[in-house]
Amino acid sequence: MKKIINILPILTLSLFISCDDSILDKKPLGQISDASVWQDLALVELQVNDIYDDLPDGFNRGWYMLAAATDDGENSYVWPSGQAFNRGDYDASNYPMGGTWNGHYSAIRKANEFFSRIDQVPDSDGDLGNRLKGEVGFLRAYFYFDLSRHYGGVPLITTPQGLDEDLLVSRNNYEECVDFVVAELDKAAALLPDSHSGSNVGRATKGAALALKGRVLLYAERWAQSAQASKDVMDMNYALFGDYEGIFHSSNENNDEVVFDIQFNEPDRSHWAQLFNGVNGHVPGGWGGTSPTQELVDSYELTDGELYSDSPLYDANSPYDNRDPRFYASIIYDGAVWTGSEVQTRLGGVGGIGFSGDATKTGYYMRKFMEEDFQPSIGSLGASNNWILIRYAEVLLNYAEAQNEEAGPDATVYDAVNQVRARVSMPPLPAGLSQSEMRDRIRRERRVELAFEEHRFWDVRRWRIADDVLNKPIHGMRIGPNGEFSGTGPNGETLGRFEVENRVFESRHYLAPIPQGEIDKNSNLTQNPNW
């Protein structure tokens, strides 16, 4: 995948309007003609790579991770568009992820063009042709799923529209979108292989299609179907990777836990997450873009399986001792060692609160995804660890949630959650939990296991708890210059937990507004409530 995608610039494809007789449709010498592409499966495969390239990754959200728009994180700056989520001050003309609508429909247009023309390609009913059909079906399903979780029901367009067609398409409802996506994923799963090797690593597989199906059905609260789709993946050859922190590092890419990811390969394709989120003062250009919140820190249990408020292991003067190992793998705190030196997020510390405009705002830095041996520098800023869109731990937690909602906390629910916990040597869940108690434990497990992977943003919306957890202040930890956690700082600051920022979330924010430009162009396109 990495090797194939690098040669995409040689292609110029007519993906939006087919005008075979127009003088405007001529291609410059040295470029491959549109007609030639659809006569050669190898060239069609390059066009499919172009659709892969439209998948959104969580590294490049624009100077922040999406977690900074949840109660798990805070951006170090006030100006990134994502901060509008926290202030609640966006509308239909400036949605913080406003490129989603046009970007996804552009990718869908490419997929529709593929399906309208693939059968004319020689040998398109062979192994390669069928595999490409499965991949494009998976990709189209992913884009429609992502649109539906932003906007709810959206227009389902499955053919490449021409200018002579009725372009004023109405919205399908959410359930119709779910039905379409599930059907697409079923067809894709039947065509895709269980795994890829060599240059094809990173392409969609049967497991990716089934895992995405499980997630889609989970969001739609079709519990039994979601549990079965995830169980189908659990019966395949995936496994939890032994090193939780190492899952996300370039040295361990494409391990057995990865179900589907976006491939990076610096310098051909890279991201700036290491630079944007680096520890200020400890790595070249560390900009501390995503500061974990105290709310997230408090979600990590101690090693006895209890929260800090209930555990006898908790010491208010040493609050970071005896924590779930995922805490140490995900968050840099005062006293943590990074790139060979101790990080002091305390007042007066290098990179601590108030150290600079790039320093943490909460007293914490993000460690997940970061690689200590990566040193960004001028002219070589890009990192190349992959962005994982689906991994096996999520599949287990998807299964546990769906099965618990469908049948209650049976043995299979316990087993799925406890597998995730056992990987980091955390004790199993206590026996005898009620359905409600198990629901709370699964939700907390998702929060810490999947931290910063963009799940929290969507989870609190689909659980309908965002108007509570995102509609109040977030907090950090202010530590005195001598490491004290209580008392008063040198400038009169109150030490300990402190309010960082008040957040705003209204009921209308559960769905994104349809872009106003689209509403203006299409009289049949209805806006979401209260926008």
Side-chain angles (χ1 to χ4, degrees), residues 305-384:
E306 300 287 345
L307 291 175
Y308 82 97
S309 55
D310 302 315
S311 175
L313 298 177
Y314 180 73
D315 180 352
N317 293 314
S318 301
Y320 309 127
D321 292 348
N322 304 309
R323 291 285 182 143
D324 181 330
R326 290 172 291 191
F327 168 76
Y328 304 110
S330 303
I331 295 175
I332 293 174
Y333 54 93
D334 187 80
V337 175
W338 185 250
T339 60
S341 62
E342 181 180 280
V343 177
Q344 293 190 339
T345 62
R346 63 190 64 184
L347 297 174
V350 175
I353 294 175
F355 176 74
S356 77
D358 298 328
T360 174
K361 298 298 184 287
T362 64
Y364 303 102
Y365 287 95
M366 188 181 73
R367 182 175 187 131
K368 199 172 194 176
F369 311 115
M370 310 300 286
E371 300 185 289
E372 289 188 82
D373 58 355
F374 179 85
Q375 295 292 312
S377 59
I378 300 300
S380 180
L381 300 175
S384 60

Side-chain angles (χ1 to χ4, degrees), residues 13-328:
L13 302 179
S14 297
L15 297 177
F16 292 91
I17 303 174
S18 179
C19 306
D20 292 339
D21 298 327
S22 171
I23 60 173
L24 299 178
D25 198 38
K26 301 299 182 182
K27 307 295 186 296
L29 292 175
Q31 293 185 333
I32 300 173
S33 71
D34 183 70
S36 297
V37 169
W38 297 103
Q39 292 299 313
D40 187 336
L41 277 178
L43 296 179
V44 173
E45 188 173 30
L46 297 181
Q47 194 230 5
V48 173
N49 291 349
D50 191 41
I51 307 175
Y52 276 101
D53 200 46
D54 290 326
L55 287 168
D57 72 85
F59 289 133
N60 294 313
R61 287 290 182 186
W63 304 84
Y64 71 105
M65 308 288 286
L66 194 55
T70 75
D71 53 343
D72 283 354
E74 168 69 342
N75 200 284
S76 290
Y77 315 100
V78 298
W79 49 263
S81 60
Q83 288 289 66
F85 281 122
N86 301 330
R87 297 188 298 265
D89 63 355
Y90 58 93
D91 57 30
S93 63
N94 62 350
Y95 178 55
M97 289 190 280
T100 301
W101 183 279
N102 288 331
H104 284 17
Y105 272 113
S106 174
I108 288 167
R109 170 74 194 204
K110 296 174 189 178
N112 292 342
E113 182 80 6
F114 169 91
F115 281 117
S116 74
R117 304 183 73 169
I118 184 61
D119 288 338
Q120 76 186 40
V121 182
D123 301 319
S124 62
D125 57 350
D127 290 345
L128 177 57
N130 284 327
R131 193 200 80 201
L132 293 177
K133 292 173 188 177
E135 291 180 29
V136 177
F138 169 86
L139 291 168
R140 184 165 66 173
Y142 188 94
F143 289 115
Y144 269 121
F145 161 66
D146 200 37
L147 282 168
S148 69
R149 63 180 178 177
H150 279 272
Y151 303 103
V154 297
L156 289 173
I157 302 169
T158 59
T159 59
Q161 297 168 296
L163 294 180
D164 57 344
E165 298 180 47
D166 183 5
L167 303 180
L168 303 183
V169 183
S170 300
R171 294 173 67 175
N172 292 79
N173 64 43
Y174 176 71
E175 294 300 323
E176 289 170 334
C177 291
V178 172
D179 290 341
F180 174 78
V181 169
V182 169
E184 287 281 278
L185 292 172
D186 282 338
K187 289 187 289 186
L191 294 170
L192 292 169
D194 288 357
S195 63
H196 290 294
S197 60
S199 62
N200 286 328
V201 169
R203 294 184 177 278
T205 61
K206 177 180 180 179
L210 294 173
L212 181 58
K213 177 183 174 182
R215 186 196 290 180
V216 171
L217 292 166
L218 186 75
Y219 279 46
E221 298 186 353
R222 300 184 188 180
W223 307 123
Q225 294 172 278
S226 174
Q228 184 58 59
S230 293
K231 181 62 167 60
D232 290 341
V233 182
M234 292 158 63
D235 291 337
M236 299 178 73
N237 294 322
Y238 295 100
L240 296 173
F241 188 67
D243 174 12
Y244 176 79
E245 183 175 1
I247 297 169
F248 311 99
H249 290 179
S250 55
S251 58
N252 300 311
E253 62 189 14
N254 307 315
N255 60 72
D256 288 343
E257 186 164 345
V258 177
V259 180
F260 185 65
D261 63 2
I262 296 176
Q263 302 274 302
F264 286 88
N265 186 24
E266 201 278 331
D268 299 306
R269 185 180 184 184
S270 59
H271 59 81
W272 285 16
Q274 306 281 350
L275 174 70
F276 290 165
N277 296 288
V279 181
N280 186 231
H282 287 258
V283 296
W287 295 349
T290 303
S291 301
T293 63
Q294 190 63 43
E295 282 75 12
L296 176 59
V297 171
D298 290 345
S299 296
Y300 288 91
E301 300 167 5
L302 278 77
T303 53
D304 59 1
E306 300 287 345
L307 291 175
Y308 82 97
S309 55
D310 302 315
S311 175
L313 298 177
Y314 180 73
D315 180 352
N317 293 314
S318 301
Y320 309 127
D321 292 348
N322 304 309
R323 291 285 182 143
D324 181 330
R326 290 172 291 191
F327 168 76
Y328 304 110

